[in-house]
Every structure is written in C-alpha cells, then in structure tokens.
Amino acid sequence: MQEVFPDQGERSVTDLYDDPRRRRLADRPWIVLSMISSADGAMAIDGTSGGLGSDSDRSVFRHLRSIAHGVLVGARTVRSESYSPLPSHQTLVVVSQTGNLGVHSSALTSAGNTLVVDGEVRGICTALAGDIWILEGGPSLNAQMLAADCIDEVCLTVAPRFLSSDAGRIIGDGEFADHQWDLIHIAHDEGFVFLRYLRKRSD
C-alpha cells in the first residue's frame, strides 16, 4: 500500500496495522472496529460486504483477525455473511436475542469457541478475556458500542464504489457523545482508501 499520511511511501499491511498502543484497559480489552464501506457510505452489496472488498482489504481483514483474542459481531451479520467457526485459539462472540446464527449455526455452536450472548454491551465487553478484540458489526451493534464508548480504534476501508441502494451505513441510529479521534494513517491501493483512527483518551 502507498501511505499518504504520514507519508512514508510503500508500506506493508503489517507495518500499517501493528500498533503497540493496543493493550487491555482497566475493565475490558482494546476493541477495534473493522469495516468497509462504499465511497457514499454503503456497507454492503446484495446484503454482504464481500463484493466491496479487494485483495488489500482482505489482507487487512485477515491481519486484524490474526492479532485478536476474538471477534465480537451481531447475529444479523453472522447470518448475512455466513460466518464459519474461528480457529480454536480464538473466540467468536455473537450478540443475539434469538440465537439464530444462520446456515452455519450447527458448525458454529459445535465448534466450542462460539458464544451467543445478549444484554448491555458494556457488560458484554467487560466479560471478554484477552487484550485485543475485533468488532465486525453490524450497524446496530456498532452504534451501541459507540454510545457505550467501547470502541478504541476504527479501521475503515473506503471502496471506490457509489451505490444507489438502501444498504445500511457502518453506524446505525443512536445518540453519541462528541468523542474525539486521532487520524493515524491514510493509505491507498488500486483506488481503495485505508483509514485508521484512535479514540482520544485522557487516561
């Protein structure tokens, strides 16, 4: 990828996305929101995000997952994206009121490392073990997490697409405090723009 801010030229995904500042906080792990959207904000084509991506975006996705203790995601995203079980050393936590995990439900629930939970998101986050977790949506869960101030980092890929559709945006409706964010990098590859933000905190 070509980094344009701060401009350090060609950089690998590892160089761009490794960060020693990620650490467990007082009562919960560091949580990274990992998302992709079109240039006009749509997060899916025909109901899934896969059609928006590129090889570089998939490399970012795989790298972020590789550094995490687990993945936190809403059940609707699990169903629409047909999630499969994570590797045995990681945990998939699905926020769901019904327990409906879609076509791979049996594989997910029998894997031994998938947990289905419900409740207030801050309580869910404080129960997560490990230092780093990846939040993968969807919009409703992202909005709840943002409102609870449980997102420490946002890794957003912007695809060079404009979609006239009713696809949801990466953050659903909600009331949020005026959180402050630092822009850590801007990179690009084949028309895709890669943005990374860190939540400004005084502690």
Side-chain angles (χ1 to χ4, degrees):
M1 293 183 193
Q2 183 75 26
E3 187 179 50
V4 295
F5 171 79
D7 186 2
Q8 299 186 43
E10 284 290 329
R11 301 192 70 196
S12 69
V13 168
T14 299
D15 288 340
L16 284 169
Y17 285 91
D18 276 354
D19 195 324
R21 287 170 288 194
R22 297 186 186 115
R23 67 195 186 284
R24 187 172 181 88
L25 306 180
D27 64 343
R28 62 169 178 82
W30 180 280
I31 297 175
V32 181
L33 174 60
S34 173
M35 300 294 291
I36 186 171
S37 79
S38 65
D40 58 334
M43 60 173 287
I45 297 177
D46 297 328
T48 70
S49 61
L52 284 172
S54 67
D55 287 344
S56 292
D57 174 65
R58 285 182 281 273
S59 293
V60 170
F61 174 84
R62 289 191 296 269
H63 181 73
L64 290 174
R65 276 201 173 186
S66 75
I67 65 172
H69 186 90
V71 172
L72 179 65
V73 64
R76 182 175 298 180
T77 299
V78 169
R79 293 192 297 267
S80 64
E81 302 284 350
S82 298
Y83 270 51
S84 297
L86 293 184
S88 60
H89 67 282
Q90 294 179 310
T91 303
L92 178 67
V93 172
V94 183
V95 181
S96 174
Q97 294 180 334
T98 66
N100 179 7
L101 304 185
V103 296
H104 294 155
S105 181
S106 295
L108 287 166
T109 55
S110 64
N113 59 339
T114 299
L115 301 177
V116 180
V117 301
D118 188 21
E120 187 269 330
V121 295
R122 177 161 284 279
I124 291 171
C125 291
T126 57
L128 299 176
D131 293 330
I132 303 168
W133 279 69
I134 307 300
L135 171 64
E136 295 184 353
S140 177
L141 179 57
N142 293 346
Q144 293 174 58
M145 293 284 288
L146 189 62
D149 197 15
C150 287
I151 300 175
D152 305 293
E153 181 177 350
V154 176
C155 294
L156 174 64
T157 300
V158 180
R161 303 285 296 275
F162 292 88
L163 302 176
S164 177
S165 73
D166 59 357
R169 273 41 190 170
I170 66 171
I171 304 292
D173 293 335
E175 295 185 4
F176 315 119
D178 185 20
H179 298 160
Q180 300 297 307
W181 300 83
D182 283 324
L183 178 62
I184 302 303
H185 78 232
I186 305 172
H188 69 90
D189 184 63
E190 296 182 343
F192 287 76
V193 179
F194 299 86
L195 304 167
R196 191 161 75 90
Y197 299 91
L198 291 188
R199 171 80 165 89
K200 277 189 177 180
R201 299 189 185 279
S202 57
D203 51 357

